[in-house]
Amino acid sequence: MRQSIHKVVRDLFLKDTLAVETFKKGLLNTNAYAKQIQKKVEAKLKKKIKVNTITVAINRLKNKLNHLSTPIPQNNTVKLDSIDIFA
């Protein structure tokens, strides 16, 4: 069965809970993220895919993400006991 670009991008993106949470907050650089997953998308589809195509697919997921509540798993969190800032 042949997969669509949108489905492959959606599946990869939704598995990355940190990216999903960052995207929901409006902080994800979708073009940079698209470049990051481009090789995985191309491997799954067995053809070259433009970064802009992946970026568009990610941006189209915005409406669907409003209905998701995906907490960041404990293994992706960073606990800081203290932060020292020197000027």
Side-chain angles (χ1 to χ4, degrees):
M1 184 169 110
R2 189 172 165 197
Q3 292 184 325
S4 69
I5 295 170
H6 177 77
K7 183 176 180 343
V8 171
V9 170
R10 182 192 68 211
D11 291 346
L12 288 170
F13 181 71
L14 292 178
K15 287 179 184 174
D16 187 345
T17 54
L18 186 57
V20 170
E21 290 301 315
T22 307
F23 185 73
K24 283 180 175 181
K25 293 175 184 176
L27 301 174
L28 182 69
N29 180 334
T30 54
N31 192 51
Y33 185 75
K35 288 177 185 176
Q36 183 181 332
I37 67 169
Q38 183 179 19
K39 296 288 182 200
K40 291 179 185 177
V41 173
E42 290 176 342
K44 287 191 177 262
L45 295 172
K46 299 178 181 155
K47 65 180 182 178
K48 290 282 187 190
I49 306 295
K50 293 180 182 177
V51 172
N52 289 340
T53 303
I54 298 170
T55 302
V56 169
I58 294 168
N59 287 326
R60 288 183 178 167
L61 291 170
K62 189 171 188 171
N63 292 334
K64 294 179 191 220
L65 290 180
N66 291 334
H67 303 292
L68 295 177
S69 61
T70 311
I72 299 174
Q74 187 65 29
N75 62 356
N76 284 352
T77 60
V78 176
K79 181 180 179 190
L80 299 175
D81 292 325
S82 67
I83 299 175
D84 296 325
I85 301 174
F86 300 97

